[in-house]
Amino acid sequence: MNLTVKALNRTALLACAPFLGIMIWLLLSDIVIQLPTDAFPKPVTELTRPPETNIEPASTGLDLAQQTASQTRESIQKQIKLYTQTNADMAKISSMAASQAMRPLIIYDRNITSKLGKAAGTIESDKLRAQLFYIKAENFTAYALKVKLKSKDAMTMTLGGDELGKAETTLAAVNRHQAAAGINAGGFADGRGKRYPLSTTIVDGDYATGFEAPHADLFFVGLNDKNELIGGKFATKQHLDAQKPKFGASFVPVLLRGGAPQPIPAKWQTSPKRAPRTVIANYKDDQLLFLVADGYNESGSSGATLGEMQLLLQRYGAVDGYNLDGGGSSSLIFNGRVINKPSDGQLRKLPTHFLFFK
């Protein structure tokens, strides 16, 4: 296609005509375009320069906070020291109060101990305190064992060989159970080659042969679940169970009730008159007292009378006292040694024994 210069000029003029028209219109019109003042950057002057930050108040506040924290720490330390001192003072006061509360018991124990004389031996542990005393009476030699039970498992009663119908010496029972001391307990009856405990007998809270109503001056004596001595004639099993017995045995007769001597049946005053004896009693503070009197036979010519045992119990300040099996059955073991002199010439095999553990 052939285009002339004239044709090209005409085409270019037509293309630029609109733009030329707009420019001519803008030049000839009165239109004013205004921009806002904040569209332009402001010059930096002394008035517009940002103020310098003043850090002095912040520094002062920080110092004050540190001072407050230090004072708070000192106050807390003083409070802790005061609290510790107060606890120490309260512990001291509590200890003094406990000591003062125990003082009457200490004085009481000192008084009853002084009546027994000087202890020949003492077993002391967190379970018990057992003190052995020698007694020289006008007509016989005897021994006293004063026992303070500190634990519920410090004392028990065991069957011979731990089986009903079997028998063993108190020394054998002590050794077998690794006990610290032992004393013979209730009476017995032989039958069919075996030796059985007399009447109502309780071991570890169980009736060994069932309950038997008291008869012929028989009584039951033992300890309850608070290590308190219980004893007497219980008409029914319910009456005895109400005492919560842990263990106990039966024999005759009752010697002391509430510190007062009880009438001794005529039969037991003369059969025999004198004999080796074993007695169990208690004090007002629930300590136990055992008396064992020596005698070289059971014919009535040696040993102690029941009346003399009553007098000893009263002299030593006992509250309740009960006669246990005596004669050749009387046995006192202390620290692995036989203390009394058995009238049989050797210890008798028995069905029940009181044992003490340290």
Side-chain angles (χ1 to χ4, degrees):
M1 179 177 62
N2 294 324
L3 295 176
T4 63
V5 174
K6 186 177 181 179
L8 289 172
N9 290 336
R10 189 180 294 119
T11 302
L13 181 62
L14 289 173
C16 294
F19 297 101
L20 291 173
I22 292 172
M23 291 181 64
I24 293 171
W25 179 77
L26 288 174
L27 290 173
L28 296 177
S29 66
D30 294 330
I31 296 175
V32 179
I33 298 175
Q34 293 184 350
L35 296 175
T37 57
D38 56 0
F40 300 95
K42 294 181 180 180
V44 177
T45 65
E46 291 295 328
L47 295 177
T48 60
R49 182 178 295 135
E52 295 181 359
T53 303
N54 188 359
I55 64 172
E56 184 176 349
S59 176
T60 303
L62 181 60
D63 292 341
L64 181 60
Q66 290 177 340
Q67 183 179 0
T68 302
S70 177
Q71 292 175 348
T72 302
R73 182 173 62 253
E74 291 177 0
S75 177
I76 292 174
Q77 290 174 344
K78 289 180 180 179
Q79 292 296 326
I80 292 174
K81 184 177 180 180
L82 179 61
Y83 177 78
T84 303
Q85 183 62 43
T86 301
N87 278 350
D89 292 342
M90 291 303 296
K92 187 181 296 184
I93 292 173
S94 177
S95 177
M96 290 176 61
S99 177
Q100 291 299 321
M102 289 294 295
R103 186 170 178 79
L105 294 177
I106 294 173
I107 294 174
Y108 176 74
D109 181 66
R110 190 179 299 157
N111 288 339
I112 60 177
T113 303
S114 65
K115 295 177 181 179
L116 292 166
K118 184 179 180 180
T122 300
I123 299 173
E124 182 85 43
S125 73
D126 57 348
K127 286 188 175 183
L128 60 70
R129 182 179 70 241
Q131 295 172 287
L132 177 67
F133 302 86
Y134 289 90
I135 300 170
K136 184 62 179 176
E138 183 178 353
N139 298 311
F140 59 91
T141 298
Y143 315 90
L145 183 66
K146 185 168 75 71
V147 182
K148 178 179 178 60
L149 301 175
K150 305 177 186 179
S151 171
K152 289 188 176 182
D153 58 352
M155 179 182 175
T156 189
M157 192 186 81
T158 182
L159 295 174
D162 292 329
E163 185 177 330
L164 187 64
K166 286 190 175 182
E168 64 184 337
T169 66
T170 304
L171 179 60
V174 166
N175 291 336
R176 188 165 56 84
H177 288 275
Q178 297 182 332
I183 288 182
N184 65 289
F188 63 87
D190 292 331
R192 298 181 179 180
K194 293 188 176 183
R195 183 158 286 180
Y196 295 95
L198 188 66
S199 192
T200 301
T201 302
I202 297 177
V203 180
D204 295 330
D206 296 325
Y207 288 81
T209 57
F211 175 81
E212 184 177 337
H215 60 88
D217 304 317
L218 278 171
F219 63 81
F220 173 88
V221 64
L223 262 62
N224 65 12
D225 58 355
K226 295 181 180 179
N227 279 348
E228 298 169 337
L229 186 70
I230 56 173
K233 297 180 179 181
F234 298 93
T236 66
K237 182 177 181 295
Q238 288 72 24
H239 289 155
L240 180 52
D241 287 342
Q243 300 296 317
K244 298 181 179 180
K246 287 196 303 183
F247 56 80
S250 297
F251 204 60
V252 292
V254 177
L255 299 178
L256 216 63
R257 294 304 296 266
Q262 300 300 292
I264 299 174
K267 175 182 178 180
W268 304 110
Q269 293 183 30
T270 58
S271 59
K273 180 179 180 180
R274 293 189 175 277
R277 306 284 186 185
T278 301
V279 170
I280 182 174
N282 66 339
Y283 287 107
K284 291 179 181 178
D285 62 353
D286 290 323
Q287 289 192 76
L288 299 176
L289 175 66
F290 295 87
L291 299 179
V292 177
D294 274 342
Y296 53 82
N297 61 43
E298 297 182 49
S299 63
S301 60
S302 70
T305 67
L306 290 176
E308 288 171 333
M309 299 303 283
Q310 278 182 325
L311 290 175
L312 284 180
L313 291 176
Q314 286 185 289
R315 180 184 302 171
Y316 297 144
V319 178
D320 298 325
Y322 305 88
N323 185 49
L324 297 174
D325 194 11
S329 296
S330 288
S331 308
L332 172 57
I333 313 300
F334 187 85
N335 260 342
R337 296 188 302 113
V338 180
I339 302 301
N340 67 313
K341 297 177 176 59
S343 61
D344 291 351
Q346 60 184 3
L347 292 173
R348 179 180 291 175
K349 292 184 178 181
L350 304 170
T352 55
H353 311 270
F354 290 126
L355 301 180
F356 307 89
F357 300 90
K358 63 180 180 180

